[in-house]
Structures are given as structure tokens and as C-alpha cells.
Amino acid sequence: MPQQTPALFDLPAPEMPPVTGSHDPGRSGQRWRRTMTAQVVVRNLAVLRDKALDDFDSGAFIGIGDADDDDEDLPDTREVIASTAEGALDWLIDPTAGLWPLMESGAIRLEAAEHAVGQVADREFQVSWSVQVQVGDLAALRTIAVHNAPDAADEISGSLAAAWNNAAAPAAPLTGIPAITWTITSTTVERETRR
């Protein structure tokens, strides 16, 4: 994967807004959802499209059932990626980015992930994503979080939201995408209750 070479005057990573939602310490077995929104500006459309097409072309796909006759008029995924910044950005966003070490450690179990990309202006987009997890090994989650942010140990011990956000960077779905700049506009972590 090509690496971006930092320029002499690259800006520091954007500041994160305060996390809203529950300040519950959490416990194993609970379900939690983290929802993020961000404003994204595409700086170099050609680089973004090339990365998205490269990812698309190197992926493995599974066909499910017969194609619907009504779908024949719809452009295929590769065509959308190649022809629009929105399509390329949509293809590259992975809401689960940054969560794999937590899943591998047993700290969480992923239950759902979704994302959306909406164009606001030429090359400007509002992006949102959310993931729902079930807490597994809460001690492992807190250990990873404290390892990443030792100065936040007190907050991590009393808030599942703080533990999750320090164990897995909330902006991870955007950090690996080339040719964009972004600003996180909201972060919400809340406990999901079944009805």
C-alpha cells in the first residue's frame, strides 16, 4: 500500500469534539453503539479514485443469487467508484477500521456496522458511520485503552465510552484514506437496550 509522504507544512490531526452519550462504566454482555459524523474534503480526486479502484480490483467478491432484471439499468460498483468522488469515498470507508485488535482480544464482538456518504458541495461531503458491539472482556478493553492513553486511566476505568474511544481511535475509518482532509463533527457512544 503506498504511503503518503508528509509535506513540510502538513497540518496536525484535527481535534476531536467531546464525546456525547452515556458515562456508564459498562459491563460485559452489554451492547454499545458508537456513531461518528465528519466533514470530508477531497483534495486530489485522481489519487482517491486510484486508491478506491485498486482496493476494488484486489478484493474478492461473492455473488449472491441471480441479478434482478430491474438492476440492469444501475451502474456497476466499479463504474460508480471510477466516475464519482462520492462513490470512491463510499468504497474506502470501513466503519470497523481500528476495531480488529479489540475483536481479536475478545474485548468486543462486532454486531453491526454501517456508513453513509452525502455530498454537501463540490468535493465536500458529510460522512457518518456507526458500529454496534457487544462487550466481551471488559478488562481487556480497559487494558488496551490505558496502554494507548495512560494519562486517561481514571476516565477509562469509569466510562465505557472513554475506554472504547481510547482503545480504538474513533476517526480510524478516515485516517487511511489518501487525498482527503477531514474534521470530526460529532462522536456519540451510547448503550443499546433491547425493546
Side-chain angles (χ1 to χ4, degrees):
M1 178 167 118
Q3 299 244 342
Q4 282 185 287
T5 306
L8 181 59
F9 298 105
D10 272 352
L11 298 174
E15 295 257 341
M16 296 290 290
V19 177
T20 59
S22 176
H23 295 287
D24 185 329
R27 66 174 204 266
S28 295
Q30 291 178 334
R31 287 172 171 77
W32 288 76
R33 178 175 297 274
R34 179 165 72 180
T35 304
M36 307 286 301
T37 59
Q39 294 301 118
V40 174
V41 176
V42 175
R43 296 293 180 199
N44 188 324
L45 185 54
V47 170
L48 180 69
R49 285 181 183 162
D50 287 349
K51 172 63 174 155
L53 287 170
D54 184 54
D55 280 12
F56 180 85
D57 291 340
S58 66
F61 301 96
I62 301 170
I64 301 175
D66 294 328
D68 212 0
D69 288 338
D70 295 337
D71 291 342
E72 290 178 10
D73 295 335
L74 297 175
D76 71 10
T77 302
R78 192 176 198 290
E79 183 180 322
V80 172
I81 292 168
S83 63
T84 68
E86 184 174 0
L89 192 56
D90 186 56
W91 182 259
L92 289 171
I93 292 174
D94 174 8
T96 66
L99 296 179
W100 293 100
L102 302 183
M103 290 187 274
E104 290 168 358
S105 73
I108 61 169
R109 184 170 62 88
L110 181 66
E111 293 192 331
E114 58 192 16
H115 74 279
V117 177
Q119 189 159 3
V120 175
D122 183 44
R123 298 190 185 200
E124 294 182 23
F125 301 88
Q126 179 169 325
V127 177
S128 62
W129 64 95
S130 71
V131 291
Q132 179 175 311
V133 301
Q134 183 175 26
V135 179
D137 186 343
L138 184 57
L141 178 66
R142 285 194 162 82
T143 298
I144 294 168
V146 169
H147 175 75
N148 292 344
D151 292 344
D154 289 341
E155 185 183 10
I156 289 166
S157 69
S159 166
L160 189 123
W164 187 354
N165 286 333
N166 284 289
L174 297 177
T175 57
I177 300 176
I180 65 169
T181 56
W182 47 269
T183 303
I184 299 296
T185 55
S186 71
T187 305
T188 304
V189 179
E190 294 182 309
R191 185 174 167 210
E192 293 284 301
T193 55
R194 290 189 173 177
R195 293 179 181 176

